Amino acid sequence: MSKAADVSAAVAAAVTALNLTGVTVERRKTPAAPEGATLPQAVVSVGEEGEFDYLTARKKLVTYPAAVTLVTAGGRKLEEDETLRGWREQVWAAVEARAAWAGLAGWNETTAGGREPFDRAALPKDLNFSFLVFRVNVLEDRA
Amino acid sequence: MSISGKYLTCAINGVEIAGNYSWDADEGGDVLDATVGADRGWERENMGVQNLHVTIKGYMNVLTGQYTPVRRGTEVTNLELYRHIDDGTPAFSVSEALVVRSRQGGEVRGKVEWSCEVHSQGDVVTYSDPS
């Protein structure tokens, strides 16, 4: 499996382990939910690798842009949603924890922020999206 | 033309020093004043005792603990400094050396690193130009 797929699997496992009530965990390139999809969803998206940082003659640091998007029904919501905020806190705690990455060989660190691995403007307007964007750094062998 | 250090590395006893990313070899020693009257007011010097002082830096893998211990006091045999990992002949080959200074540290928003200063011991240095 590619490192990007390993990153995606690790994030999905960490979010699944939270057992957020009623939330289905999916892995897709974009959080846009297909017609008739069961909501709410937590969509794990990992984009193409970003910058390479050449550390030594043998190792490089590769950064993968990633996101977990909480998709709920009903279009852009303006009112406060405590349930959603609670889910966000739990997901952040899960993806930032060292334990979430124990199975990913070469994992270096996860930092919040960065670019989304999809085009936010292309998402449908009739669903509510809450984005958690982060970068995953992995130590990989150089060719 | 290539001036990149992208493939620079070093080894002890044929084993690459884990996490090394920088080496610096300083050829120095005593400089003896040999100025005499015949120099008519201009300085003249002679080479005295020679040395090779090497500084090596590396990253420490805090997850696996992979790190080559080069703390102060370590006696090193067959230290080899390569400009390029594929070179057959190292830039400097030092058969006997002593680690006289070592440092370790890191920052929350940075990397955990180590560095050491290694001095050659005796007439043990072989130098090679890049090929």
Side-chain angles (χ1 to χ4, degrees), chain A residues 8 11-12 15 25-29 42-46 67-69:
Chain A
S8 178
V11 177
V15 178
V25 180
E26 300 271 336
R27 291 163 62 180
R28 284 200 297 277
K29 280 188 182 176
V43 181
V44 177
S45 311
V46 175
V68 174
T69 311

Side-chain angles (χ1 to χ4, degrees), chain A residues 110-128:
Chain A
T110 301
T111 46
R115 61 176 176 90
E116 292 125 3
F118 46 78
D119 183 1
R120 199 188 274 216
L123 297 176
K125 305 287 184 274
D126 56 347
L127 295 175
N128 188 44

Side-chain angles (χ1 to χ4, degrees), chain A residues 54-58 107 142, chain B residues 6-8 16 20-21 85:
Chain A
Y54 295 103
L55 288 183
T56 70
R58 298 277 185 207
W107 173 78
R142 285 173 61 180
Chain B
K6 214 168 112 170
Y7 295 96
L8 181 139
E16 252 183 271
N20 86 85
Y21 71 84
I85 200 171

Side-chain angles (χ1 to χ4, degrees), chain B residues 11-51:
Chain B
I12 293 174
N13 271 329
V15 178
E16 252 183 271
I17 299 175
N20 86 85
Y21 71 84
S22 159
W23 60 256
D24 180 274
D26 180 357
E27 294 177 285
D30 294 346
V31 179
L32 307 173
D33 179 28
T35 313
V36 295
D39 292 317
R40 300 176 68 78
W42 286 86
E43 187 181 33
R44 178 179 297 282
E45 290 163 322
N46 274 167
M47 293 287 102
V49 168
Q50 299 178 82
N51 62 44

